[in-house]
Amino acid sequence: MQIKKVVLLLLYLVYPQTKCLSQTLYGTNSYVEYQVGTLPIVISVPHGGFRIPTLIPDRTCNDPVTVTDAYTIETAEKISAVLFAATGCYPHIIICNLDRSKLDCNRNLADGACDNLQARTAWNEYHNFITMALNTANSQYNNKILFIDLHGHGHTIQRIELGYLLSGAELRYTDATLNTSTYINQSSIKNLALNNSNNYTHTQLLRGPSSFGTLLTNEGLPAVPSQQDPYPLSTESYFNGGYTTETHTCFNPAVTTNGFQMELNYEGVRNSNSNRTLFAEKFKNVVLNYLNTHTNVVLGSCTPLAIDENNESQFIFYPNPINDVLNLSCSQDMNTLKVINIIGQELFNKEVNSNKVQIDLSNFSSGTYFIHVTTGKTIKTVRIIKR
């Protein structure tokens, strides 16, 4: 399996611009996954997983936070689908499928894995996938890419919080202060501040008319910092970015990529399928506008694809949630199908060799399950809820 993954990845790296692939690479036990893309957009999702394997003990070291960022994986997948519909290509998405009680990929290795071997392996695979995605995207787009670490917050104010590794107190500084080298060097968009298409200053990129927060707010998604809401007040909660943003953006001198942590509010953004879809549409408008404005990146390799050029991505499953029968269909034959429960036990394994199949789950207990489907070179995992 590991050899197969390496071969597929090498094929992708050699032919990144010939067609848009829909390929998912998995880490050990599918605890982490990398949905390979061809857009100049890399999104990581560390806290949306639900898997709780008994072989990994609950984290107890260093007073851990274990709250799940609800529906962030589903939101990222909506973003992926919407961007594909608009551009013909997918963003790079890296997901941790483990519950945060087992692993926190947005902490350093010691705090995130609490010295458990399986958790350490998953942590390393997750961050290696991010590095792989950034290197691939930067190579294709000449370092004109954007990295977003996607989270969900539970703060009272329903707005999106963009974390550039500057504290709320620092964002309350004057423009002149934030435009000094001291604060530019502390920023996760340092390289963009030093080199962007319109010579915008650091503060213009943080909260000017073409900043990410302002573009979100213009789409009806209030955000801080932005022109409309330039900084959080001293009495307001705010997340300014964590380990992943520090490690995988140009805040780290060894990395060239610009990016930030994006904390999504729940109401109106993550709390329903329709709101997640609406958010994804608006996010698509913002991210493409932002990249075009500040980097002039050309998405020449992402022309829309005909269905027969991208059969592997045409996968449908319904209903979800489910009471009894799950229907699956694909534009090419599915080879094998597995059902795995939330603690990693394989409950169902069947050779399919058909483009349509039904699974009777009426005797399964209520809860969360993962459906693993193999189609040709692609392995796709989807999560379903059994009522």
Side-chain angles (χ1 to χ4, degrees):
M1 179 63 71
Q2 296 300 323
I3 293 175
K4 181 180 179 182
K5 290 177 184 175
V6 171
V7 171
L8 291 172
L9 180 60
L10 287 174
L11 286 172
Y12 169 71
L13 292 175
V14 172
Y15 302 108
Q17 298 184 10
T18 58
K19 67 178 287 189
C20 295
L21 303 179
S22 176
Q23 172 66 42
T24 301
L25 306 179
Y26 290 92
T28 306
N29 298 318
S30 300
Y31 290 153
V32 300
E33 64 182 88
Y34 168 25
Q35 298 176 14
V36 180
T38 49
L39 284 173
I41 301 164
V42 179
I43 300 172
S44 59
V45 192
H47 296 156
F50 286 92
R51 293 186 64 178
I52 50 173
T54 55
L55 293 177
I56 301 179
D58 288 351
R59 294 167 54 238
T60 57
C61 65
N62 300 321
D63 193 24
V65 176
T66 59
V67 177
T68 298
D69 290 357
Y71 300 111
T72 47
I73 293 176
E74 293 85 346
T75 302
E77 290 177 340
K78 288 288 187 185
I79 290 171
S80 181
V82 165
L83 280 168
F84 175 77
T87 68
C89 278
Y90 295 96
H92 301 260
I93 297 182
I94 300 90
I95 294 171
C96 178
N97 289 314
L98 286 170
D99 188 89
R100 199 174 177 186
S101 64
K102 303 295 183 180
L103 177 66
D104 189 338
C105 288
N106 195 35
R107 297 290 186 273
N108 63 45
L109 179 58
D111 292 347
C114 292
D115 206 31
N116 174 266
L117 179 59
Q118 290 196 53
R120 287 171 63 92
T121 298
W123 187 98
N124 281 311
E125 290 172 338
Y126 178 87
H127 286 282
N128 287 340
F129 277 154
I130 294 177
T131 299
M132 186 186 304
L134 294 177
N135 288 343
T136 301
N138 275 320
S139 176
Q140 184 175 357
Y141 289 102
N142 299 316
N143 295 311
K144 296 180 178 182
I145 75 167
L146 184 67
F147 172 62
I148 296 175
D149 190 36
L150 186 66
H151 295 256
H153 72 76
H155 297 157
T156 301
I157 301 176
Q158 296 301 297
R159 63 184 175 186
I160 295 171
E161 298 172 10
L162 302 175
Y164 298 95
L165 300 177
L166 299 167
S167 68
E170 288 169 333
L171 288 176
R172 292 191 287 274
Y173 291 161
T174 65
D175 288 1
T177 299
L178 287 173
N179 284 332
T180 63
S181 59
T182 297
Y183 294 100
I184 292 175
N185 288 332
Q186 293 179 23
S187 172
S188 61
I189 55 169
K190 172 182 66 178
N191 286 348
L192 192 64
L194 297 175
N195 182 19
N196 63 82
S197 299
N198 296 290
N199 295 318
Y200 288 137
T201 65
H202 185 216
T203 51
Q204 286 175 321
L205 293 169
L206 292 172
R207 56 196 182 203
S210 296
S211 68
F212 206 90
T214 299
L215 296 176
L216 285 170
T217 305
N218 290 344
E219 288 278 347
L221 297 166
V224 62
S226 64
Q227 191 173 46
Q228 300 89 339
D229 192 358
Y231 47 76
L233 300 177
S234 59
T235 55
E236 297 172 346
S237 299
Y238 169 69
F239 289 124
N240 69 322
Y243 177 86
T244 302
T245 308
E246 293 172 352
T247 303
H248 296 290
T249 70
C250 53
F251 171 84
N252 178 351
V255 177
T256 61
T257 305
N258 297 288
F260 46 80
Q261 180 171 301
M262 184 162 68
E263 293 272 354
L264 302 179
N265 50 291
Y266 187 71
E267 297 296 331
V269 175
R270 293 181 286 131
N271 62 332
S272 72
N273 183 60
S274 60
N275 281 337
R276 291 190 291 274
T277 300
L278 183 61
F279 166 77
E281 289 284 354
K282 293 179 177 181
F283 173 88
K284 175 259 296 180
N285 296 337
V286 169
V287 73
L288 295 179
N289 185 356
Y290 184 86
L291 284 167
N292 180 62
T293 299
H294 300 303
T295 71
N296 287 331
V297 68
V298 177
L299 307 182
S301 62
C302 289
T303 53
L305 301 179
I307 290 177
D308 62 352
E309 292 180 296
N310 198 43
N311 287 337
E312 293 174 351
S313 69
Q314 308 304 313
F315 179 69
I316 299 170
F317 62 100
Y318 65 93
N320 190 24
I322 181 176
N323 291 318
D324 40 44
V325 176
L326 179 68
N327 300 279
L328 302 101
S329 64
C330 189
S331 56
Q332 69 179 110
D333 282 354
M334 294 172 277
N335 305 125
T336 60
L337 189 151
K338 298 179 182 180
V339 179
I340 297 172
N341 67 14
I342 200 166
I343 61 172
Q345 297 172 321
E346 186 177 300
L347 307 179
F348 181 92
N349 188 333
K350 181 180 180 180
E351 289 191 12
V352 180
N353 297 320
S354 173
N355 66 346
K356 292 184 180 180
V357 67
Q358 291 184 324
I359 313 173
D360 186 355
L361 301 179
S362 57
N363 293 326
F364 282 50
S365 301
S366 298
T368 300
Y369 296 89
F370 298 89
I371 311 297
H372 286 217
V373 180
T374 302
T375 59
K377 296 183 294 184
T378 299
I379 302 173
K380 179 66 177 176
T381 301
V382 297
R383 182 170 59 254
I384 63 166
I385 305 296
K386 173 67 169 62
R387 289 192 175 115

